[in-house]
Amino acid sequence: QKEVEQNSGPLSVPEGAIASLNCTYSDRGSQSFFWYRQYSGKSPELIMSIYSNGDKEDGRFTAQLNKASQYVSLLIRDSQPSDSATYLCAVRVYGGSQGNLIFGKGTKLSVKP
Amino acid sequence: DAGVIQSPRHEVTEMGQEVTLRCKPISGHDYLFWYRQTMMRGLELLIYFNNNVPIDDSGMPEDRFSAKMPNASFSTLKIQPSEPRDSAVYFCASSFSRAGRPGQPQHFGDGTRLSIL
């Protein structure tokens, strides 16, 4: 059973701090990794994708991928109350069809003013 | 650009009734996915299509669930008969394939919140 694991949280950080969200996956051959943000009562929204080892930065967001450790993380700098949401990690498994993603259950982030 | 469009947004019905959920993917996308989300189980893939053909329906929980995609711009997920344990948010998502670029992201509709009484 191919799995994606996330700490369910809640993760609580003060406004302005760095929030660090982590995700591990079981399939060593996984190739594509995504972070989605989901506000309460809303649909998942793609915020980052990463395909190769290392860091990828987009504004206040940085995705980090370490395939050897089967670990992907999302850093949110200068956290804002509007960042409070559930963050879903998604992985395309090796050998899976082009679009087949496995989602983690998400980490709930709370940014306190 | 229009995103993935789902209808209805909310559905409340009694146990035993037939429920039909509808989805219009983003134009040009060749993959369509149906998911179910609950607090206990998170986001679960039910079935997905490529070029209107069902590729993997192993996530469909029971024979009471069926999905069709008669053309590139429309898909339905049907539950017959419905049961209270089917209550969840059902999402449709779509993506497109791009040669040389693995695993394009999926774009989600707003979901249908289904309550079976």
Side-chain angles (χ1 to χ4, degrees), chain B residues 20-35:
Chain B
T20 299
L21 311 181
R22 297 173 176 80
C23 176
K24 176 180 171 57
I26 294 172
S27 177
H29 282 194
D30 55 351
Y31 281 84
L32 183 140
F33 307 83
W34 282 101
Y35 289 91

Side-chain angles (χ1 to χ4, degrees), chain A residues 31-32 34 36 38 41-44 46 51 88 92 97-101 103 105, chain B residues 31 33 35 37 40-41 43 45 48 91 97 101-106 108-109 113:
Chain A
Q31 298 177 344
S32 308
F34 306 93
Y36 285 81
Q38 187 175 23
K42 301 295 185 181
S43 61
L46 179 72
Y51 302 98
L88 303 172
R92 185 178 82 91
S97 178
Q98 211 277 344
N100 190 359
L101 300 181
F103 282 82
K105 290 187 177 181
Chain B
Y31 281 84
F33 307 83
Y35 289 91
Q37 187 175 39
M40 288 295 295
R41 300 175 68 90
L43 197 61
L45 177 66
Y48 74 95
F91 288 106
S97 54
R101 286 296 303 273
Q104 293 304 303
Q106 298 174 16
F108 284 76
R113 188 171 296 274

